[in-house]
Amino acid sequence: MNPRSGGGKATRAGIAERARELGVDVIVLRADDDLAALVHDAVARGADALGAAGGDGSLAVVAAAAFAHDLPFVCVPAGTRNHFALDVGVDRGDLVGSLDAFTDGVERRIDVAEVNGRLFLNNVSLGIYGDAVQQSTYRDAKARTLAQTAAQVLGPSAPAAGLDLVDDRGRAHRDPVVVLVSNNPYSFEPPRAPGTRATLDSGQLGVVVLDRPAPGQTSARTWTAKQLEVIATAPVHAGIDGEAVELTSPLRFVIRPETLRIRISSRQTAV
């Protein structure tokens, strides 16, 4: 449990206390803790399921361990936006109720995706967003930092991004300003809400590319793929499930169909 995620949502909801009442071993993260190491220790001690109460970045670390050891994963939506919880069907307004997945859960398998061997639940962003999340001001002023980064990236004196990829039609995209690769494609048309995924078991990556704008035109492409390679001339700033990461070229994206055991409270499966 990350007590700082979402402005302290998990603490206010009494998640640690309720989880212990259900017989769940709770680890409350401190600022200097290594989450991956703590999860590894929990698996070594014989954990038969893993869960995370926090934002999407924390969820991805714990889900990676569940994926590696074929253990059920429980999502407690204690972050700010909880994109993964929304798309997987967890009630984002019922943190306490989501804990019932440990004792009264319905299990199914969903896809996960990887870039250079690192698992992600939602997406990897390159370009404007990938640069923005590297800034120290991002957490406290997301909109302003994104706007400032966009102005720098799209400005007339902006350097080339150094990214190169080929789409499903065989067209090369050189120096795009945005590349978004998602675990299953996002919806952009009704009736789904924009920025959500209709399913997490299609076995496909979603790819969105926005090329550097030329006068009087916009060039954006979306497609799906089972794998994708992005070449870069230098280490790449990326946002992986909202966390700032630097990746080394080539960036190899793959989908892992139906490999993560997700467990959701039986009361929330109809949400």
Side-chain angles (χ1 to χ4, degrees):
M1 173 184 131
N2 187 344
R4 297 171 299 281
S5 292
K9 281 184 182 179
T11 301
R12 290 195 300 273
I15 291 299
E17 293 79 9
R18 174 55 182 158
R20 292 185 181 108
E21 290 173 0
L22 294 173
V24 178
D25 185 24
V26 180
I27 301 170
V28 179
L29 297 179
R30 298 168 299 185
D32 58 347
D33 278 341
D34 182 333
L35 176 56
L38 291 173
V39 177
H40 176 79
D41 290 343
V43 173
R45 294 197 307 271
D48 54 10
L50 296 171
D56 287 331
S58 298
L59 293 179
V61 172
V62 180
F67 164 76
H69 297 279
D70 196 29
L71 293 172
F73 175 65
V74 174
C75 166
V76 180
T80 301
R81 293 177 178 82
N82 304 298
H83 292 149
F84 176 71
L86 172 65
D87 292 343
V88 83
V90 173
D91 184 351
R92 295 183 296 172
D94 187 10
L95 272 70
V96 173
S98 66
L99 291 171
D100 291 343
F102 284 106
T103 56
D104 183 23
V106 175
E107 186 177 310
R108 60 188 175 96
R109 287 185 177 266
I110 63 170
D111 305 342
V112 295
E114 293 180 356
V115 56
N116 291 3
R118 175 170 174 153
L119 178 144
F120 60 95
L121 297 175
N122 294 329
N123 59 63
V124 176
S125 299
L126 313 175
I128 293 175
Y129 184 80
D131 287 336
V133 296
Q134 308 289 325
Q135 307 301 316
S136 59
T137 57
Y138 178 73
R139 292 298 175 190
D140 296 326
K142 293 184 179 181
R144 184 171 69 249
T145 304
L146 279 170
Q148 291 172 345
T149 304
Q152 294 168 0
V153 171
L154 298 175
S157 62
L163 301 177
D164 193 351
L165 69 152
V166 177
D167 66 22
D168 58 330
R169 297 176 182 174
R171 174 189 167 192
H173 295 262
R174 294 187 173 87
D175 294 326
V177 294
V178 172
V179 177
L180 178 75
V181 184
S182 56
N183 172 28
N184 284 252
Y186 284 102
S187 299
F188 297 100
E189 301 291 339
R192 296 287 303 182
T196 61
R197 291 165 289 180
T199 182
L200 288 176
D201 58 7
S202 72
Q204 296 283 335
L205 299 167
V207 186
V208 180
V209 173
L210 177 63
D211 290 315
R212 190 172 297 273
Q217 71 179 41
T218 300
S219 180
R221 279 280 290 126
T222 64
W223 71 94
T224 60
K226 292 186 180 299
Q227 58 187 19
L228 177 74
E229 183 172 89
V230 178
I231 304 298
T233 56
V236 180
H237 289 164
I240 301 183
D241 287 342
E243 299 296 318
V245 176
E246 188 171 86
L247 298 172
T248 302
S249 180
L251 281 61
R252 294 190 174 98
F253 297 86
V254 294
I255 193 79
R256 304 295 186 195
E258 298 185 2
T259 48
L260 178 64
R261 297 167 60 189
I262 185 78
R263 187 181 289 173
I264 300 173
S265 165
S266 61
R267 295 189 295 112
Q268 294 189 354
T269 53
V271 174

